[in-house]
Every structure is written in C-alpha cells, then in structure tokens.
Amino acid sequence: MFAQYDIRGNEEVSKTIPYSRGRTVPQIEIEYSATLPIADALPKLALAMHHALAPIADTDVASFKTRLSPLANLVIGDGNPREAMVHVDVRLLSGRTDTVKQAVGQKVQELLLAHLADRVDGYSVQFTTEIHDLDRGNYHKTVL
C-alpha cells in the first residue's frame, strides 16, 4: 500500500491504494542498436508483449508501459558495426514466482524473434531479456 498524492504533492487529499498480487505495473524497456532497421516494428512488438504477458504475469494489459530506446552510442564485441543487440528489460512488482518470471522471459524471446528476425538480415544480433522485481514498498504510481 502507498499514499497517492495529488499533483501538488498534498497528502491530505490522497487516498491509500492497496496493490493486489499482480494487477499493476509492468514496466518494459526495449533497448536496441539504432543501426538496426526495426524502429517501425517496435510499437507492434510492444503491443504483442502487453497482450501475451498479461495473463502470464497476472496483470491487466492497461497497466503495461513500454519505452523504446534506440542506442546510437554502443560497442559490441570487437566493434564491428554489423554486430547489434536488442535487449528487453521487464520489471514486475515483486511476488511472482521464478516459474512465472521464466515464462515471461521465454515469451519475450519468442516475440522478439517472431517480430524482428526477418528484419535484421546482414547483422549479427544478440536478443536478450532480463526479468526484474520491483519492490512493492518502493514503487509509486499516480494516474490522473
């Protein structure tokens, strides 16, 4: 539970909102080599992740937030410009089992390949995924 503040930070007009198991949060960041020709495919990939991960992570599609971050200043391996990466960082409120986190990671990898593999010809791409816990006691959210 946490106190929700109004836009000016006044706690006296706040209400306490309990977090149920799941039902809130998923934060996703997709970082990728800016040289890859995939930017136009990423919004569709993000939406596919939202819909595919919601039942696995026991949350609502509306709770997902995904940031798409091209990385122009990046060095991989020996610096070959045809080496590239796509990294997905998924953050869920703590309390999910390792089995759930493994299933989320596997689904993300499947979706990455399904949406991007045919767009990266000529590159050697590392597709990676990390699943992290967000500490419920330290996560704050306000919706206006």
Side-chain angles (χ1 to χ4, degrees):
M1 295 176 57
F2 71 92
Q4 183 175 3
Y5 298 87
D6 74 1
I7 197 141
R8 294 168 302 281
N10 298 322
E11 188 173 13
E12 39 302 328
V13 298
S14 71
K15 60 182 178 179
T16 301
I17 299 175
Y19 277 134
S20 61
R21 180 173 173 79
R23 295 292 158 211
T24 55
V25 170
Q27 299 276 342
I28 300 173
E29 183 166 16
I30 302 173
E31 297 177 314
Y32 62 97
S33 299
T35 56
L36 288 173
I38 62 172
D40 62 328
L42 294 176
K44 187 174 179 180
L45 170 62
L47 291 172
M49 284 185 189
H50 296 180
H51 287 277
L53 298 180
I56 298 170
D58 186 29
T59 194
D60 300 316
V61 170
S63 297
F64 281 83
K65 291 152 294 287
T66 298
R67 296 180 302 281
L68 307 173
S69 304
L71 303 173
N73 299 308
L74 176 66
V75 177
I76 298 174
D78 64 4
N80 180 336
R82 301 311 281 176
E83 296 286 332
M85 56 146 288
V86 178
H87 178 75
V88 179
D89 183 38
V90 180
R91 296 181 182 270
L92 303 167
L93 277 180
S94 58
R96 270 60 172 219
T97 65
D98 286 342
T99 302
V100 167
K101 290 185 258 186
Q102 281 290 326
V104 167
Q106 289 171 356
K107 180 54 76 175
V108 168
Q109 287 294 116
E110 289 172 21
L111 291 168
L112 283 170
L113 295 176
H115 286 262
L116 303 178
D118 65 343
R119 296 174 167 265
V120 296
D121 286 341
Y123 290 89
S124 174
V125 183
Q126 298 178 32
F127 292 99
T128 58
T129 302
E130 264 184 286
I131 312 302
H132 297 277
D133 285 332
L134 284 171
D135 180 18
R136 290 174 184 269
N138 292 319
Y139 183 80
H140 308 277
K141 176 180 180 179
T142 302
V143 178
L144 302 177

